[in-house]
Amino acid sequence: MLPPFKRSPASARPPIICLAIAFVLLVCLSLIGMDGWRSWAARRNQLSQMQVSSANMARAIAQHADDTFKEADTALLGLVERVQTDGSATATLGRLRKLMLLRSDNLPQLHGLFIYDQNGHCLVHSLNTSLGTQTNEDRDYFIHHRQVNDGASYIGAPLHSRSNGAWTLTLSRRINRADGSFAGVALATIEVEYFTRYYHSFEIGQAGAIMLLAENGTLLTRRPLLSDSIGKDMRQTTLFRNAANKFTGNFTAVSPSDGVKRQISFRHMEHFPLLTSVALSEQEILSEWLADTYMHTAGVAALILLLGSLGVYLVRQIQMRVDAEVEILQTRDEMAVLNQKLERLSLQDALTELANRRHFDIALQEEFRRAQRHAMPLALLMIDADHFKRFNDRYGHTSGDDCLKQLSRVMKNHQSRPGDLAARYGGEEFCMIFPNTDAKGAMHLAEHILAAVRALQIEHAANRDGGGIVTVSIGVAACVPSREHDKPRELLQAADRALYAAKDGGRDRCVLAPANHPITLPSLPPPGKS
């Protein structure tokens, strides 16, 4: 086994190494790309073929169902015409039964033919069993025809046959008297098993499904036939939503019941409000393609492994000659990064993560000179926590540190521009620099900071001036520095004296240094900033 390969900076690699790596990668990626394209094209072709097959299957199943109901409807039309023309006398019913038996023998899909009077009593039927005196006026098809006189056939909801208990589908037509009033119903029943047998003649795989639905969303039958299939409401399914406004179509969906992804084709019937669908498992459709892809992928992977091993060996041999130089460059870079980190740490306060005193002094000098060059205002805020020594004495230094961290977050939140800087000046005292900010803007910022600190609601029982919570006092100084007279220290002194004035004036407030020049602020006796 070859030793581990240490990657080097690109700048340290000789051109020959880059060329060798590029060549090996190009060959490997070309092999992967060509095999991937071939596999993807084969997959797309397989899915396309199965989409055509499922569409053809849906067409054949829809045609079968359409023909089945059409033949039954033709038989019903003849029966209705006979009854409406000849009436329902005993002799007429005898001839009608012979016709029913003949139609049932010629149409294997028929379970039975029936004629019901206006009260739902059976006048004549084609079955070999007696129906007794039971009435069918509670059936949905009977209720429909009694209420609707549109001259159309009606496919009712699936129901259990009262003659043999089997699931049947019903096709019915209304019988009218000469005046158009309701006289009864002619009914043809088709056993669900008839469709099930036909659907089993198609190859749909283990996870495939064939369904026959009414356009109102009622599932009439399916393969495989589940215990809750017949009569199930399908209006909320993906199939029903996709097929609602299209005569025929194809789509792909993942079943919420078993998680299987299927290619689904659907088709509505031309003469009846029914639709059929064929769903084929995409995994089963692609099983042959997947086996072929695995074989090709294994061959390509072996070839890539061979080429990659040779390429890595070549690169390592060349790399051995430049390892020493690479290590020197790496060490240099690491030292540079370390120095940058140390420099950054040297300018940051460890507790609050604000700028430290050194960083503040440097920034004040730079911003002061920039303000002098461009004749722009510069504002400085000195902020001190009120009675902080008492806070530490009462709550401990750990709580004091937490308090300072919260105060520092308030100040960070008020650094809204690139030049703004918040720094820990020392102890519980902070400074904030705001370039291009006049006295009015500085006082506005100071008042916002006062309110934000109060909103923290940090308990400080010893701060009676601040209502028992932690507050701060702020000294504000702002000026447009002149090249001849002003110095950064004078601005700092003005803000410091304004801070003393805020402390002396009762704390929890901000005081602005006089506008004429920060250094002319009258001296105040230092009351102690804590």
Side-chain angles (χ1 to χ4, degrees):
M1 180 180 289
L2 295 171
F5 176 57
K6 290 179 65 178
R7 294 192 61 180
S8 304
S11 60
R13 288 182 178 142
I16 190 171
I17 293 181
C18 297
L19 290 174
I21 293 174
F23 175 75
V24 173
L25 288 176
L26 179 62
V27 173
C28 293
L29 291 175
S30 297
L31 289 172
I32 293 172
M34 287 189 294
D35 187 65
W37 179 86
R38 185 204 66 81
S39 297
W40 180 253
R43 181 183 186 276
R44 185 175 56 188
N45 184 55
Q46 184 74 17
L47 290 175
S48 178
Q49 290 179 358
M50 290 308 299
Q51 190 177 77
V52 172
S53 297
S54 64
N56 290 336
M57 199 182 303
R59 183 183 299 110
I61 293 170
Q63 187 63 53
H64 170 265
D66 202 42
D67 292 344
T68 297
F69 283 101
K70 188 66 176 176
E71 290 171 348
D73 192 39
T74 301
L76 286 182
L77 282 171
L79 295 177
V80 171
E81 193 276 334
R82 288 290 186 94
V83 173
Q84 292 183 160
T85 302
D86 300 338
S88 57
T90 303
T92 302
L93 294 179
R95 291 193 301 271
L96 203 58
R97 176 173 168 76
K98 291 180 181 180
L99 179 61
M100 288 179 171
L101 292 173
L102 181 62
R103 291 285 186 267
S104 295
D105 290 339
N106 291 334
L107 299 175
Q109 68 264 38
L110 290 180
H111 166 254
L113 294 169
F114 307 84
I115 300 294
Y116 294 96
D117 64 14
Q118 70 272 15
N119 297 316
H121 294 104
C122 184
L123 298 176
V124 62
H125 61 82
S126 64
L127 301 181
N128 295 322
T129 60
S130 174
L131 297 183
T133 60
Q134 59 190 358
T135 177
N136 276 21
E137 64 178 348
D138 61 332
R139 297 296 199 183
D140 75 312
Y141 59 84
F142 194 90
I143 297 171
H144 171 81
H145 287 302
R146 186 165 54 192
Q147 297 173 348
V148 179
N149 184 13
D150 57 2
S153 60
Y154 176 75
I155 297 176
L159 50 82
H160 282 288
S161 171
R162 286 172 173 166
S163 60
N164 63 1
W167 276 107
T168 58
L169 305 180
T170 61
L171 178 70
S172 57
R173 280 186 172 274
R174 174 179 168 127
I175 301 173
N176 288 331
R177 295 187 179 91
D179 61 358
S181 61
F182 178 65
V185 173
L187 174 70
T189 58
I190 305 170
E191 288 191 358
V192 169
E193 179 63 24
Y194 173 78
F195 293 98
T196 304
R197 288 195 302 270
Y198 178 70
Y199 296 162
H200 275 283
S201 65
F202 293 93
E203 179 58 49
I204 60 173
Q206 296 295 319
I210 298 174
M211 287 186 284
L212 176 65
L213 301 90
E215 289 184 351
N216 65 5
T218 302
L219 179 60
L220 303 181
T221 185
R222 80 188 299 273
R223 173 194 171 194
L225 188 60
L226 307 177
S227 59
D228 64 341
S229 295
I230 298 178
K232 185 177 180 180
D233 188 353
M234 302 287 288
R235 285 177 295 179
Q236 301 303 317
T237 61
T238 306
L239 168 62
F240 191 82
R241 289 194 294 270
N242 278 275
N245 300 314
K246 295 180 182 177
F247 182 76
T248 184
N250 299 277
F251 65 94
T252 301
V254 177
S255 171
S257 59
D258 57 13
V260 175
K261 187 177 183 181
R262 291 181 173 90
Q263 292 274 354
I264 302 172
S265 296
F266 64 86
R267 188 178 185 87
H268 290 260
M269 295 184 195
E270 294 184 4
H271 302 102
F272 298 95
L274 302 174
L275 66 98
T276 59
S277 76
V278 176
L280 302 179
S281 167
E282 189 171 285
Q283 183 178 358
E284 292 178 346
I285 293 172
L286 298 174
S287 58
E288 292 184 7
W289 167 84
L290 198 59
D292 180 67
T293 299
Y294 283 153
M295 183 178 67
H296 277 271
T297 302
V300 171
L303 183 58
I304 289 175
L305 183 62
L306 176 62
L307 291 175
S309 299
L310 292 175
V312 170
Y313 178 78
L314 175 64
V315 171
R316 286 178 175 174
Q317 293 300 311
I318 299 173
Q319 188 66 50
M320 290 174 62
R321 294 181 296 177
V322 296
D323 279 346
E325 180 183 353
V326 169
E327 289 179 3
I328 293 173
L329 293 174
Q330 288 176 335
T331 302
R332 184 197 65 185
D333 292 343
E334 290 171 359
M335 289 296 295
V337 171
L338 182 60
N339 288 336
Q340 291 175 359
K341 184 176 180 181
L342 291 174
E343 183 178 357
R344 186 169 62 253
L345 290 175
S346 70
L347 298 175
Q348 186 181 67
D349 180 65
L351 176 65
T352 62
E353 297 183 355
L354 297 176
N356 60 13
R357 174 68 177 273
R358 178 169 173 262
H359 190 177
F360 168 78
D361 291 339
I362 295 172
L364 182 59
Q365 291 281 350
E366 292 177 352
E367 294 299 336
F368 201 88
R369 285 195 293 269
R370 184 178 293 111
Q372 283 180 328
R373 287 196 304 270
H374 300 288
M376 295 188 307
L378 177 66
L380 178 66
L381 273 62
M382 292 201 72
I383 305 166
D384 189 72
D386 295 330
H387 297 301
F388 195 73
K389 183 177 183 304
R390 298 179 187 177
F391 185 92
N392 276 335
D393 292 342
R394 184 180 184 90
Y395 300 101
H397 288 279
T398 301
S399 297
D401 290 346
D402 291 338
C403 177
L404 292 177
K405 290 178 182 178
Q406 294 187 65
L407 296 179
S408 68
R409 282 195 289 270
V410 170
M411 294 168 209
K412 285 180 184 177
N413 293 336
H414 286 78
Q415 295 180 133
S416 58
R417 299 173 303 175
D420 296 347
L421 179 73
R424 187 181 181 189
Y425 195 72
E428 69 276 11
E429 194 169 17
F430 303 88
C431 287
M432 295 191 73
I433 301 172
F434 293 104
N436 199 18
T437 302
D438 58 13
K440 182 178 178 181
M443 283 297 289
H444 182 72
L445 287 167
E447 289 167 357
H448 270 273
I449 293 171
L450 283 175
V453 171
R454 294 191 201 104
L456 295 175
Q457 290 293 303
I458 303 172
E459 182 184 350
H460 187 358
N463 185 17
R464 290 184 293 274
D465 297 331
I469 60 173
V470 170
T471 58
V472 295
S473 298
I474 304 178
V476 181
C479 69
V480 179
S482 67
R483 294 178 179 272
E484 294 79 12
H485 305 292
D486 296 333
K487 297 179 182 179
R489 183 172 180 79
E490 296 170 355
L491 181 64
L492 184 63
Q493 288 174 341
D496 191 44
R497 291 174 181 172
L499 174 60
Y500 274 109
K503 291 285 185 180
D504 191 57
R507 295 181 170 82
D508 188 22
R509 66 195 60 211
C510 52
V511 171
L512 176 66
N516 57 339
H517 198 283
I519 201 169
T520 62
L521 185 70
S523 298
L524 297 170
K529 295 182 184 179
S530 61

